Amino acid sequence: MAIREDQNRFRDIVKGKVKEDLRKYVSQGEMIGKREDEYVKIPLPRIDIPNFRYGPKQSGGVGQGEGQPGQDVGDPGEGGQGQAGEAPGEHMVEVELSMEELAEILGEKLQLPRIEPKGHKNIDSLKTKFTGIAPVGPEGLRHFKSSYKSALKRQIGSGTYNAEEPLVLPIRRDMKYKSFKKVNQPQTQAVIIYMMDVSGSMGEEQKEIVRLESFWINTWLKKHYKGLETRFIIHDAAAKEVDEDTFYRTSESGGTLISSAYKLCQEIIQADYPTNEWNIYPFHFSDGDNWSGEDTRLCVKMLQEFFLPNCNVFGYGQVESKYGSGQFLKDLQKEFGEDERITLSQIESRDKILDSIKDFLGKGR
Amino acid sequence: MANLTPELEAERKRICQIAKDAGLDCFETIFELITYDQISQFAAYGGFPVRYPHWKFGMEYEHLSKSYEYGLSKIYEMVINTDPCYAYLMEGNAMMDQKLVMAHVYGHCDFFKNNIWFSKTNRKMMDQMANHATRIRRYMDRYGQDTVENFIDVCLSLENLIDRYSPYVEKSVTKSQPPPQEKNYLLKVERDYMRDYINPPSFVQEQKIRAQNEAEEKAQRFPQEPEKDILNFFIHHAPLADWQVDVLTIIRDEAYYFAPQGMTKTMNEGWASYWHSKLMTTKILNDSEIIDFADHHAGTMAMAPNGYNPYKVGIELFRDIEERWNKGQFGREFEECDDVKERKHWDKKLGLGRDKIFEVRKVCNDVTFIDQFLNEDFCVRNKLFVYKFNKKTQKFEVDTSNFKAIKSQLLFHMTNFGQPIIRIEDANFENRGELLLNHLHEGIDMQPDFMSETLKNVYKLWNRPVNIATIMDETPQLFRFDGKEYTQHKLSGEGPSPNPATEESSG
C-alpha cells in the first residue's frame, strides 16, 4: 500500500533521518484513553506544518453543560473547535479497552518476552476466571446489567415498555449470568518499588516522563502478576516513602543523595518482601546528578551486595534535563557493563519512552 | 465495484428507497466493504483511494490506526463527495451499525448534491486526485523526492491562504470600469446659483488633481485591490519553476475542493444525523436493535464541556427549525410577542417545517445557518456556554452563557474556518519588490512562533523580503523576513498598512 511509504517517510522525519528542518516541528502529543478511572496515555509524535493561525490560549470555544462562570472545563486540546479542516464526513466513536488488552498490544509492539517469575513456581492455585455472559448459571452470579438490558429489549420489542412509567421487569429468560471457568494459576507475588529524584533539577517534563514510563511498566507487570504491589520513594538529600499521588507531585530544592533512597528501599524489602517468595522490581529515576563520588560508590556497593542478587532486575532510568550532568549513568555503566541483572536506560525525551520501556522489560526477567 | 454481502446489499436497496421516499435526492451512492486498515488509509487520504506521496498522510494513518489498535476510537463512516458518491462500510461491524452508517451517508449525499456551496465542486475529484498523484510522482522522479516534498511542505504551510468565497463570485465581463465622472468628487449642489460658492474653481481643480493622483496610485499599486487568494497570486507572480507552479496549483485545487466541506461542517453533519435518526427510528430498525441504536446515537451526539460537536448542534438546530416552522414560531408577530406563556404554546399548525429544512439545507452555509437560526431559547435549552482561557488560573473556564456571546463565538470560529484572514496588500512594497501581507486583526493575535515560520515559507516562494502587518500585544507591528533576519517594528498609526480592516464580507 502506498500509505506505507508515507508512513515510513513520516517515521524517518521523526527519527531525524531525513529533513532536519522539520524536526523542530515534532511535537510529542499523546492519545489519552480512559479505562474506568485510569487514564491511558499513548505517546504520539506529530509534525505541525506551520501556518498562520490564532494563538490557542487566546480564543475560546463553545461547550455544553451545567457550568457556572469560572468553572474549569479542561483543556480543549486538539479536538477543540476550529478543526473543521478537510476531513470528509467522518464519524469516530470511542471504544473501551481493558488494561490487559493494552498490555498485550504493548507486548506485541515492543516484542517483549514473557516474564518468568521466580519463587513459588510450583504452587498453583485453582482460580475462577470469568469469561463472559451465559444464559444459565447460579443466582449468585447473576449479571444485573445484562439481565435488565435484555429485559428492556424484550419489553420494547413486544410493545409492553411504557416510557412514561419506565418499569422494567426481567422474566426467567431475560436472566444473564457470569460464566466462568476454573484455571490453574501460578501463585506469584511481585512488588515494584519506584524511586525518584525530586531535587530541584528534575522539572515538570522529567516527572511527566517518569509518570508515563511507570504507567506502562505497571501495565506490563500487572499482566504477569496478579496482586502486584507498588511502593513509592522520593528523595533529594534524604529519602521518604510516599503515596502515589505525592510521588508525582512533590518537588524539592535540596541536593541529591541517591544512597538515601537505596537504603530506604532495602529496608522496605527486608521488612515486607522475603526475597525468596517475592519478585522484586526496583526502578530508580533521576537526572544523573549525585552529590559526590563517594555516595555513588556507596550506591554501587549496595547494588552489588543487596539488590542484584535479590531482585529480578534493577532498573535505572536517566531522564535528560538541562541541568543534569548525567554522571550517574556513566558510573553505573562502567561498573556493571553488560550485567543482565541491571537495566540502564537513557530517556532523552518523550520520544524515547517506548524504547526505554523495551530496555527495561525486554529481558524477560 | 461494490462488494457488499447479499444481506448488506438487500439492506442498502431498502434504505436507499426509504431515503428517496423521504424526499432525499442523492447521486448514485456506491458502498464498499473494507477492512479497518483500508479505512485508516482512506481516511488519512481525506477519503480518497489515491493521493500524492507525502509524509503528512503517513502521519494521519499512523494516528488513526494506532488509535484503533489501542481501542481509543474507530471510524464508522466515511463518504466522498463525488458523482457517484463513494462510501465505506467497515468489515465486522454489527448489522445495526451498518444500517445506521448507510442512512447517515444518504443524508450526506443529498447534502453534497443539493447544497449550493458544493455547486462549484469538481465531482470527478477521484480522477483529479489520481492525476495529481501521477504528476507529483513524475516530478519526484525527475527532481528528487526530497526536493519536491520540501516544496510541498512549503505549499501546505500556506494552503489556508485562499479566498473561500471566490468560486461563488461571478466575475464581471468588463473588468475595467469607466473612469468616475466629475460629479463623483464634487460636493452636491441643490440650487444652481450656489454652484460656484459650494464648488469654487480652485476647489474643483484640487479635487481633480487628487482624483487623478489616486487613480494613478491605484494603477501603480500591485495588486490593485488587496488579494485574498494568495496562492493564486503566487502561481501567477512568484518566481517559480514550471514544476513548482504546477505543484502549487495542485495544492490550491485540493484546498478549494475541501473548502465547502469546512464551510458546512455543522449543517452537513446535522443533516445526516437528522436523517439517520428519523429513518432509523421510523422505518429501518427492527425492535431488537433499538437499544443498541440509542446507545450508539447518544455516543455520537455527546458534547463535552470543552468541545463543540457539530453533529449535536446541527441536528438540534434542524429539529428546532422544523418545529418552529411547523408551529409558525417565526415572523414579526411571533418575534414581537413578549408573553412567555403565549410564546411557549404558540402553534398555528402551519406544517411548513419539512419544506423549510429542505430550503435551509439548500441555501445556507454554517455561518448563515447559525446567524439566522440560532436563537436564545435554543442556547438555553441546550445549555450552551462560552469558555475562555483564564491567564490567572492557566485553565479553560466557563465564561458566560450570554446568548450574544455564544453566537458571536460560533460565528467567529466559522468565518474563514476560525483562521486569521490575510491578504496581500502590496507586492511592490517600499518600491523594492517586497511583499506586504496584512492580517485583518479581529481581536485575536496570531501564534507568534507559527507566524514567523510561515513567513519564512512565504519568503521561499516570493524570494524577496516579505512583511506582515498585524497587531500583536495590542500594538500594531510589522514583522519582516529578508532571507536572513527576522525583525519586528512597531507601527505608528499611519503605517504601511494602506487598507485598515474594513468591509470584510463573510458571505
Side-chain angles (χ1 to χ4, degrees):
Chain A
M1 285 203 307
I3 198 85
R4 301 264 178 256
E5 291 171 31
D6 295 334
Q7 192 183 16
N8 290 336
R9 193 82 181 152
F10 168 64
R11 286 183 175 163
D12 284 347
I13 294 170
V14 172
K15 286 182 193 145
K17 279 197 221 148
V18 289
K19 298 215 231 185
E20 270 306 313
D21 56 322
L22 276 181
R23 280 284 294 173
K24 63 176 178 259
Y25 304 118
V26 176
S27 60
Q28 261 319 310
E30 58 199 356
M31 263 190 292
I32 302 176
K34 202 178 176 192
R35 168 76 184 169
E36 282 158 17
D37 289 336
E38 275 182 290
Y39 282 101
V40 180
K41 293 196 172 191
I42 296 134
L44 205 66
R46 188 162 201 106
I47 299 172
D48 277 318
I49 298 178
N51 54 9
F52 291 122
R53 64 170 76 167
Y54 294 124
K57 298 274 154 88
Q58 293 212 25
S59 57
V62 171
Q64 186 193 36
E66 299 283 355
Q68 294 299 316
Q71 189 174 316
D72 185 4
V73 296
D75 196 331
E78 280 193 346
Q81 222 173 318
Q83 292 279 315
E86 64 169 47
E90 212 179 83
H91 168 188
M92 311 228 345
V93 170
E94 291 203 352
V95 289
E96 279 194 355
L97 180 80
S98 74
M99 279 302 167
E100 190 146 352
E101 288 166 310
L102 199 63
E104 199 75 56
I105 297 167
L106 177 76
E108 267 168 39
K109 280 263 136 121
L110 298 180
Q111 297 177 328
L112 297 177
R114 304 200 90 67
I115 285 177
E116 278 193 46
K118 65 171 186 175
H120 292 192
K121 262 185 215 162
N122 307 324
I123 306 174
D124 285 359
S125 64
L126 206 57
K127 223 192 148 193
T128 314
K129 190 176 180 196
F130 291 103
T131 49
I133 301 287
V136 289
E139 286 305 303
L141 290 181
R142 193 168 62 204
H143 194 274
F144 202 74
K145 195 173 163 187
S146 303
S147 303
Y148 272 82
K149 205 170 157 181
S150 63
L152 182 57
K153 272 188 189 178
R154 177 181 50 76
Q155 280 185 257
I156 290 176
S158 63
T160 54
Y161 178 75
N162 177 4
E164 298 296 314
E165 198 187 338
L167 188 64
V168 178
L169 284 177
I171 59 170
R172 184 63 242 164
R173 70 179 164 97
D174 297 327
M175 295 304 177
K176 297 281 184 272
Y177 302 88
K178 287 188 236 176
S179 67
F180 60 92
K181 60 183 181 200
K182 299 269 185 206
V183 287
N184 274 330
Q185 197 176 27
Q187 180 89 38
T188 48
Q189 304 181 92
V191 59
I192 312 180
I193 303 158
Y194 290 110
M195 293 170 272
M196 176 161 60
D197 176 5
V198 292
S199 66
S201 53
M202 291 281 286
E204 283 304 314
E205 177 69 13
Q206 283 75 28
K207 275 191 259 179
E208 184 62 18
I209 288 175
V210 173
R211 217 166 63 75
L212 283 166
E213 285 240 20
S214 56
F215 170 80
W216 286 108
I217 292 169
N218 273 346
T219 305
W220 179 244
L221 290 178
K222 259 187 204 156
K223 181 176 150 63
H224 296 277
Y225 301 106
K226 307 297 156 195
L228 177 78
E229 289 192 18
T230 43
R231 305 283 286 261
F232 298 91
I233 295 171
I234 54 174
H235 74 91
D236 46 13
K240 60 183 167 198
E241 188 177 357
V242 294
D243 61 28
E244 182 167 6
D245 197 45
T246 320
F247 183 74
Y248 295 115
R249 284 169 189 277
T250 311
S251 180
E252 307 281 351
S253 53
T256 311
L257 274 178
I258 295 178
S259 67
S260 65
Y262 289 13
K263 252 183 227 156
L264 180 59
C265 182
Q266 184 171 344
E267 282 163 24
I268 290 175
I269 294 171
Q270 281 166 343
D272 298 341
Y273 306 101
T275 53
N276 55 343
E277 285 173 24
W278 285 79
N279 295 277
I280 300 170
Y281 293 87
F283 284 93
H284 175 223
F285 296 95
S286 92
D287 59 2
D289 268 342
N290 201 5
W291 182 254
S292 64
E294 195 187 330
D295 193 68
T296 301
R297 278 191 291 282
L298 185 58
C299 295
V300 168
K301 188 160 171 276
M302 276 191 277
L303 284 169
Q304 271 165 343
E305 291 177 1
F306 179 77
F307 288 103
L308 300 193
N310 290 314
C311 300
N312 291 51
V313 67
F314 185 97
Y316 172 67
Q318 187 156 295
V319 194
E320 210 97 316
S321 90
K322 260 185 263 175
Y323 312 105
S325 65
Q327 187 56 38
F328 196 64
L329 182 82
K330 290 179 205 150
D331 293 339
L332 293 184
Q333 269 164 347
K334 208 165 71 194
E335 201 61 44
F336 296 103
E338 295 295 301
D339 194 327
E340 276 269 294
R341 296 169 301 171
I342 184 164
T343 302
L344 306 173
S345 179
Q346 197 169 0
I347 317 152
E348 292 104 340
S349 65
R350 288 195 196 198
D351 253 350
K352 297 286 157 54
I353 288 176
L354 281 179
D355 295 339
S356 163
I357 291 166
K358 185 160 182 174
D359 287 345
F360 278 136
L361 305 173
K363 292 177 181 169
R365 290 177 69 96
Chain B
M1 197 123 142
N3 62 345
L4 299 188
T5 61
E7 296 82 6
L8 280 172
E9 177 57 22
E11 283 298 336
R12 186 199 67 77
K13 270 197 185 134
R14 193 166 77 90
I15 293 171
C16 182
Q17 191 57 46
I18 290 172
K20 220 182 214 167
D21 294 344
L24 295 183
D25 163 33
C26 308
F27 292 127
E28 188 197 347
T29 304
I30 298 169
F31 284 90
E32 291 193 53
L33 195 58
I34 61 178
T35 62
Y36 193 79
D37 200 48
Q38 285 170 306
I39 286 230
S40 295
Q41 179 191 337
F42 290 6
Y45 281 155
F48 288 86
V50 180
R51 294 293 290 274
Y52 59 83
H54 192 268
W55 58 261
K56 77 164 178 177
F57 301 124
M59 174 171 79
E60 278 313 316
Y61 171 75
E62 188 155 319
H63 280 224
L64 292 168
S65 50
K66 247 191 195 172
S67 165
Y68 177 69
E69 280 171 25
Y70 284 85
L72 296 176
S73 68
K74 71 179 185 182
I75 298 175
Y76 263 87
E77 159 259 319
M78 199 168 28
V79 46
I80 332 179
N81 169 26
T82 46
D83 180 12
C85 282
Y86 285 86
Y88 306 103
L89 298 175
M90 187 172 130
E91 262 177 35
N93 273 352
M95 193 54 157
M96 190 287 298
D97 286 324
Q98 308 287 33
K99 291 188 204 173
L100 190 158
V101 168
M102 287 193 255
H104 190 89
V105 162
Y106 281 116
H108 278 309
C109 296
D110 168 82
F111 195 88
F112 286 146
K113 184 174 172 187
N114 293 290
N115 179 275
I116 53 160
W117 298 94
F118 288 94
S119 60
K120 309 285 177 188
T121 296
N122 178 359
R123 308 284 185 178
K124 296 285 167 216
M125 204 58 190
M126 197 88 103
D127 303 340
Q128 181 87 351
M129 290 281 186
N131 173 5
H132 289 169
T134 312
R135 269 147 72 192
I136 285 183
R137 279 188 194 279
R138 201 178 301 146
Y139 295 134
M140 284 183 168
D141 290 344
R142 195 176 309 161
Y143 302 105
Q145 181 171 18
D146 281 345
T147 312
V148 177
E149 203 182 37
N150 286 342
F151 185 72
I152 295 174
D153 292 347
V154 174
C155 296
L156 289 175
S157 166
L158 310 179
E159 76 175 332
N160 59 342
L161 302 177
I162 58 174
D163 181 357
R164 291 176 174 82
Y165 292 101
S166 70
Y168 312 103
V169 178
E170 290 294 327
K171 296 272 185 302
S172 62
V173 188
T174 49
K175 194 103 209 281
S176 55
Q177 301 277 326
Q181 308 196 343
E182 275 189 35
K183 64 178 180 205
N184 282 0
Y185 53 81
L186 293 183
L187 299 178
K188 198 175 166 193
V189 182
E190 297 269 330
R191 291 176 182 81
D192 240 11
Y193 61 87
M194 295 285 279
R195 180 187 296 273
D196 282 358
Y197 184 70
I198 290 175
N199 286 319
S202 64
F203 177 74
V204 173
Q205 192 59 23
E206 209 176 283
Q207 292 302 307
K208 255 188 197 163
I209 289 168
R210 213 167 103 189
Q212 271 168 2
N213 285 347
E214 258 172 32
E216 264 169 42
E217 200 187 308
K218 194 174 169 189
Q220 278 174 4
R221 207 186 294 154
F222 176 60
Q224 290 203 1
E225 298 289 337
E227 178 60 64
K228 250 172 104 178
D229 190 343
I230 296 178
L231 293 192
N232 192 39
F233 188 86
F234 284 158
I235 285 169
H236 290 102
H237 302 293
L240 299 172
D242 286 349
W243 70 268
Q244 291 176 314
V245 169
D246 195 35
V247 170
L248 187 55
T249 307
I250 287 172
I251 302 292
R252 179 173 170 271
D253 283 353
E254 296 193 0
Y256 272 109
Y257 170 79
F258 286 115
Q261 302 190 18
M263 288 161 78
T264 57
K265 178 90 178 164
T266 298
M267 286 187 74
N268 201 345
E269 292 306 351
W271 185 250
S273 300
Y274 174 93
W275 283 106
H276 85 227
S277 164
K278 176 140 277 178
L279 300 182
M280 287 295 274
T281 51
T282 55
K283 297 268 167 62
I284 300 173
L285 286 174
N286 62 47
D287 297 341
S288 70
E289 292 171 326
I290 193 100
I291 292 179
D292 291 328
F293 167 77
D295 190 34
H296 185 137
H297 180 75
T300 312
M301 296 300 140
M303 186 155 155
N306 59 14
Y308 171 80
N309 182 347
Y311 292 80
K312 173 73 179 168
V313 174
I315 190 175
E316 295 297 351
L317 260 182
F318 273 116
R319 285 175 173 166
D320 189 55
I321 294 168
E322 187 177 24
E323 190 183 329
R324 282 167 57 205
W325 260 259
N326 273 338
K327 294 183 172 173
Q329 294 182 348
F330 59 93
R332 191 160 169 190
E333 200 189 338
F334 177 74
E335 297 303 334
E336 286 177 358
C337 171
D338 291 335
D339 185 340
V340 178
K341 215 171 162 191
E342 200 180 328
R343 276 177 79 98
K344 206 176 163 191
H345 296 289
W346 192 284
D347 190 356
K348 304 213 146 172
K349 304 215 170 11
L350 295 183
L352 296 172
R354 185 56 63 87
D355 288 348
K356 185 65 187 179
I357 57 173
F358 272 92
E359 177 199 318
V360 169
R361 81 93 159 75
K362 191 180 181 70
V363 301
C364 286
N365 61 37
D366 282 350
V367 172
T368 56
F369 186 55
I370 295 290
D371 194 32
Q372 287 179 51
F373 300 108
L374 187 90
N375 59 31
E376 191 159 5
D377 288 347
F378 182 88
C379 292
V380 174
R381 217 170 337 122
N382 285 286
K383 296 181 181 143
L384 300 183
F385 57 72
V386 175
Y387 62 83
K388 288 241 149 62
F389 187 72
N390 182 337
K391 278 184 189 149
K392 272 188 209 142
T393 59
Q394 290 288 303
K395 278 178 178 157
F396 285 90
E397 292 174 355
V398 176
D399 183 50
T400 171
S401 45
N402 175 286
F403 164 61
K404 280 194 177 138
I406 294 169
K407 189 163 179 171
S408 68
Q409 181 76 32
L410 284 176
L411 290 176
F412 176 77
H413 272 287
M414 285 166 175
T415 305
N416 209 42
F417 299 165
Q419 288 171 0
I421 297 174
I422 287 159
R423 308 189 302 197
I424 294 182
E425 264 340 301
D426 194 347
N428 188 23
F429 183 49
E430 313 240 289
N431 209 14
R432 288 193 301 246
E434 297 188 9
L435 194 70
L436 173 65
L437 303 176
N438 186 26
H439 167 215
L440 307 186
H441 193 277
E442 302 194 65
I444 293 186
D445 291 0
M446 283 196 276
Q447 191 174 328
D449 51 337
F450 275 69
M451 189 179 82
S452 61
E453 294 306 319
T454 311
L455 199 61
K456 287 173 190 169
N457 282 335
V458 175
Y459 177 88
K460 284 184 191 158
L461 290 189
W462 190 244
N463 215 15
R464 295 273 313 144
V466 288
N467 305 268
I468 184 163
T470 181
I471 297 175
M472 190 77 79
D473 302 321
E474 293 168 14
T475 319
Q477 306 197 47
L478 186 74
F479 295 86
R480 182 170 199 270
F481 182 69
D482 64 4
K484 289 191 189 80
E485 243 190 320
Y486 181 71
T487 51
Q488 171 179 7
H489 317 274
K490 278 189 184 153
L491 288 178
S492 56
E494 301 280 313
S497 156
N499 279 355
T502 48
E503 91 281 329
E504 187 54 34
S505 71
S506 58

